Amino acid sequence: MSSITRDEVAHLARLARLQLPEDELEHYAGQLDAILHAVARVTEVAGEDVPPTSHPLPLVNVTRPDETHRSLTAEEALSGAPAAEDSRFRVPRILGEEA
Amino acid sequence: MTDTTTDLVRLSATETAGVIARGEASAADVAKAHLDRIGAVDGAVHAFLHVDAEGALAAAREVDDKRARGEEQGPLAGVPLALKDVMAQRGVPTTCGSKMLEGWRPPYDSTVVTRLRAAGVVILGKTNMDEFAMGSSTEHSAYGATHNPWDLDRIPGGSGGGSAAAVAAYEAPLAIGTDTGGSIRQPAAVTGTVGVKPTYGGVSRYGLVAFSSSLDQAGPCSRTVLDAALLHEAIGGHDPRDSTSIDAPLPPVVAAAREGAQGRLDGVRVGVVRELSGEGYQPGVEQRFHEAVDLLRELGATVTEVSCPHFQYALSAYYLIAPSECSSNLARFDAMRYGLRVGDDGEHSAEEVMALTRAAGFGPEVKRRIMLGTYALSSGYYDAYYGSAQKVRTLISRDFAQAYEQVDVLVSPTTPTTAFPLGSKLEDPIAMYLNDLCTIPSNLAGGAAMSLPCGLSPDDGLPVGLQIMAPAMADDRLYRVGAAVETALADRWGGNLLTQAPELQEKA
C-alpha cells in the first residue's frame, strides 16, 4: 500500500470540504498513514469469489403506501437555519464572480 | 439530601415503576430525586450536556395525573431516563457532542423518543458523547470528557460514556445509547453497568443522527438485565419511518430475562470465541472472564470453544467501512440549513463557507474519519480498501453463522482492558481503536450483543464486562443468559457490582 502524503491530505481535505491550515496537513498525513497501514490487512484475506456485504439485512426497495402525513411547517424547517429570509434558507453566493 | 431521595435514586427501573404504581412515591418525587442527584454529582461526573428539569417534571406530572385518573400505564411509567445527545428530541438541544450543532433544537422527535413518551418514561436530559459517536472515551466530545464514577480520573468508555456514567452514578436508572462499533457495550463494561446492542434493525434509527448507517443501532443502558429488557421492549419493533427497521415481532426479551433470573441454563450451548483472548488482553480481565465461563458451566450450560478465524480482520474492516459511511453521512453538515455557519461575510462563496464551517465545527477525530473515508472511497483505492472491507464483512458473517450452528450464544470479554486514565490514548488513534476489538464483529454482522458486569479486575479493582453475542433476531438469548449470570453473581456478591463502587462526593 502506498503511503499518504501531505499533498494527498490537502486533496482529501478539499474533496471533503475541510479548510485545514497548512500545519495540520502534516499532522493528519502522519496519522492517516499510520491508520491506513494498520487496516491494510483487509486486502490480504478475501479472494475474488467472496461477495461484498454492504449491509447486514438483505433488503431491497422497501416501500410504503404513498399517503400524505403531517410534515414540518416552513417555520419549523427554518427554525435551525443559520440565516433565513422570506420563508427560505438564505445561503452565501453560489456562483463565482466570473459566472 | 434526605434518606428517602437517596433511596429513590438507588432503585432499579423495575422497582421505581413499582413504587410509583403503588403510590409510595409520585413520579414527580422520583424525577426530583434524580434531578437533585444530578445537581449533586454531575459537576464531577459530567455525564449530562443538558438537563431538562422542566420537561422532566412535566412528563412526571402527566404520569401522576394518569395514575390519579386510574389509567392503565406501562411497566416503565414514571421511570427517569438519560438520552444520548445523538437522538433528536423536539425543542431540546441536540449537539451530538459537536460544535457543529451547538444550540440546535430539533423540530421533531426521533421514534425512540416518541416511544419513550408513550411509555411514560421521564427524559431527564441529554448525555455526553464522543463527537458524532466517534470514539471510545468521550474525550472527543467538544464539551469536555465525562468521568468514570468508579475513578474520576479514568474514561467512562465511549462513545456513550455519558449514558453509562449517568446510570453508574445513580443519576438515572435507564439511559439510551447507540452502538456502531461498541458504543453501548464498551461504556457498560468499564462502568459496571448493563448495555445491549439490539439486532441491527431492531430499534428504529429515525431521528438518530447518522454516523455509519449500516452499523448504527440504538439500545438500552441500565443497572440490571431486566431493566434493559423492559427498555428494549419499549423502544424496539418495526417503524415504517426507518426503511432498515425489521418488520417482524420483537423477540420476547422481557420474558427471557425473567426466565433467566430463575437461574438455570441447562441445555444452553455457549461458545467461547478463541480469537477474542490472548495478546493485548489484561490478565485481570481474562481471569474474571474465565470465572464467568466457569459460572456458565455451573449453571448447566454446555461450554465449548469455537473459532471465528476472520474476527482478527474485523477491526481493520470496521475502520474502513465506518469512516467511509461517515464521510458520506456527515456531508449533510454543509452550513446551509441548520447548525453552525462560519465566514458568511458577503465575500466568501457558499463552498468556501462550507469548508470554513466544517473546519471550525468538527473536531480532530471526526476530521480524521471523514478524510479516511474519503480516501477509502476514492477512485483507485475503492476496490482495495472499501471493497476488501466489505468482503471481510461477508467472511465475518460466515464465521458467526458457522459458530451458531454449534452453539446458541457466543461469549468473550467486552473489552480487552478496564477503564484507562483520561488522556492516555488521546494522541494515538490506533490504541484508542483497539478498545473495540471484541465488540465490532457483532456490528459488522448485524447480530445482537450484551455486556454485563462480571467482576472487578484483581489488578486494578475496576469493572470487567462479559460480552454475550446472539444471532440476529435472537436478542432474547442474551437476556436469558445475562439474567442467569447476573442472578448468580448477585448472590455471590450480596448485590450488584455497583454496590461495590466508591461513593461519589455529593455537592451540597
Side-chain angles (χ1 to χ4, degrees):
Chain A
M1 287 291 157
S2 57
S3 36
I4 189 159
T5 65
R6 190 192 149 288
D7 285 351
E8 275 179 295
V9 174
H11 178 61
L12 291 172
R14 260 197 310 281
L15 288 175
R17 303 292 183 273
L18 292 166
Q19 181 73 52
L20 297 184
E22 286 292 318
D23 58 323
E24 284 186 24
L25 295 176
E26 200 73 49
H27 181 65
Y28 283 119
Q31 288 185 333
L32 292 177
D33 196 51
I35 297 169
L36 281 167
H37 275 98
V39 301
R41 51 202 306 261
V42 293
T43 59
E44 298 163 9
V45 54
E48 295 265 314
D49 57 326
V50 178
T53 298
S54 63
H55 202 274
L57 298 174
L59 294 169
V60 190
N61 296 343
V62 176
T63 59
R64 59 167 173 77
D66 187 16
E67 291 161 356
T68 54
H69 295 276
R70 184 196 172 273
S71 56
L72 298 182
T73 63
E75 197 186 329
E76 286 169 332
L78 291 167
S79 64
E85 209 174 288
D86 300 333
S87 291
R88 294 175 175 83
F89 295 100
R90 190 188 67 71
V91 301
R93 70 181 165 80
I94 291 165
L95 302 174
E97 292 292 333
E98 68 278 12
Chain B
M1 195 178 269
T2 67
D3 284 349
T4 323
T5 50
T6 309
D7 289 345
L8 286 176
V9 303
R10 305 271 159 172
L11 301 178
S12 70
T14 311
E15 290 162 346
T16 305
V19 162
I20 294 168
R22 291 190 299 273
E24 294 161 22
S26 69
D29 291 338
V30 170
K32 275 183 212 144
H34 285 87
L35 291 167
D36 286 349
R37 174 71 179 173
I38 293 168
V41 301
D42 209 52
V45 177
H46 190 45
F48 284 85
L49 293 178
H50 178 81
V51 178
D52 180 23
E54 207 178 304
L57 289 170
R61 279 189 214 106
E62 204 174 307
V63 170
D64 290 332
D65 289 348
K66 281 189 181 169
R67 185 175 174 277
R69 291 197 299 269
E71 287 181 35
E72 188 81 16
Q73 299 196 81
L76 292 177
V79 178
L81 172 141
L83 186 65
K84 190 177 180 183
D85 205 26
V86 70
M87 258 319 156
Q89 183 184 0
R90 186 184 166 93
V92 175
T94 299
T95 68
C96 297
S98 180
K99 291 288 178 197
M100 188 60 93
L101 286 175
E102 190 165 15
W104 181 58
R105 290 172 187 260
Y108 72 107
D109 276 337
S110 55
T111 294
V112 164
V113 167
T114 303
R115 290 185 177 176
L116 290 172
R117 290 190 202 279
V121 171
V122 172
I123 302 174
L124 297 170
K126 308 298 287 290
T127 57
N128 198 15
M129 54 185 282
D130 287 292
E131 186 174 7
F132 288 108
M134 298 176 202
S136 307
S137 69
T138 72
E139 293 167 296
H140 294 307
S141 167
Y143 304 100
T146 297
H147 300 258
N148 190 321
W150 287 81
D151 176 348
L152 296 170
D153 294 326
R154 289 177 187 264
I155 61 116
S159 65
S163 285
V167 169
Y170 299 99
E171 295 173 286
L174 296 176
I176 295 292
T178 61
D179 193 313
T180 304
S183 290
I184 290 174
R185 290 163 286 159
Q186 181 253 4
V190 300
T191 58
T193 57
V194 177
V196 177
K197 181 199 98 68
T199 295
Y200 178 84
V203 176
S204 171
R205 292 189 297 113
Y206 177 76
L208 161 60
V209 178
F211 155 25
S212 183
S213 302
S214 77
L215 303 165
D216 295 343
Q217 185 57 61
C221 313
S222 62
R223 293 190 290 262
T224 75
V225 171
L226 178 60
D227 285 359
L230 288 165
L231 182 54
H232 190 150
E233 196 167 76
I235 60 174
H238 182 242
D239 177 16
R241 288 179 154 174
D242 173 2
S243 63
T244 59
S245 154
I246 295 174
D247 192 1
L250 198 72
V253 291
V254 173
R258 293 193 197 280
E259 185 192 353
Q262 301 302 313
R264 292 300 297 176
L265 290 175
D266 298 294
V268 176
R269 299 168 303 162
V270 175
V272 176
V273 182
R274 183 185 303 152
E275 286 75 12
L276 299 180
S277 64
E279 201 191 331
Y281 287 75
Q282 190 176 320
V285 168
E286 292 216 302
Q287 186 184 327
R288 291 295 177 244
F289 171 68
H290 291 309
E291 289 166 8
V293 172
D294 290 340
L295 176 62
L296 287 164
R297 269 195 207 95
E298 286 168 34
L299 295 174
T302 313
V303 179
T304 49
E305 189 179 79
V306 299
S307 176
C308 295
H310 299 97
F311 279 19
Q312 58 171 311
Y313 299 98
L315 192 74
S316 297
Y318 176 85
Y319 278 100
L320 288 165
I321 290 168
S324 295
E325 294 187 9
C326 114
S327 72
S328 163
N329 268 325
L330 270 62
R332 76 192 54 193
F333 298 104
D334 59 6
M336 298 299 136
R337 295 152 300 156
Y338 53 89
L340 187 69
R341 179 182 288 181
V342 171
D344 184 11
D345 54 5
E347 297 295 313
H348 290 111
S349 68
E351 205 171 307
E352 287 163 345
V353 165
M354 221 178 271
L356 287 166
T357 302
R358 289 163 63 81
F362 290 140
E365 179 63 15
V366 173
K367 287 176 186 164
R368 267 194 293 275
R369 295 209 198 180
I370 288 175
M371 288 192 284
L372 188 61
T374 304
Y375 183 83
L377 292 176
S378 58
S379 102
Y381 299 108
Y382 180 94
D383 285 339
Y385 284 110
Y386 186 64
S388 298
Q390 287 188 313
K391 288 183 173 190
V392 168
R393 196 170 182 177
T394 305
L395 296 174
I396 287 164
S397 295
R398 287 179 184 169
D399 280 359
F400 270 117
Q402 274 165 16
Y404 290 134
E405 281 172 15
Q406 305 160 51
V407 298
D408 302 309
V409 294
L410 294 169
V411 294
S412 76
T414 308
T415 55
T417 70
T418 55
F420 47 87
L422 286 158
S424 61
K425 295 186 182 178
L426 202 49
E427 289 309 312
D428 186 350
I430 296 167
M432 190 71 93
Y433 296 169
L434 285 169
N435 281 290
D436 302 330
L437 203 58
C438 310
T439 46
I440 279 173
S442 292
N443 297 88
L444 290 172
M450 167 189 282
S451 178
L452 79 158
C454 66
L456 300 177
S457 172
D459 32 34
D460 55 19
L462 291 165
V464 176
L466 168 69
Q467 179 176 234
I468 308 168
M469 296 170 270
M473 294 307 278
D475 306 49
D476 50 317
R477 295 183 197 172
L478 306 176
Y479 287 97
R480 171 152 184 226
V481 175
V485 171
E486 176 186 58
T487 304
L489 288 174
D491 284 349
R492 192 177 288 179
W493 299 331
N496 79 13
L497 191 69
L498 278 170
T499 59
Q500 299 176 42
E503 281 296 322
L504 288 166
Q505 200 73 40
E506 291 207 350
K507 202 175 68 186

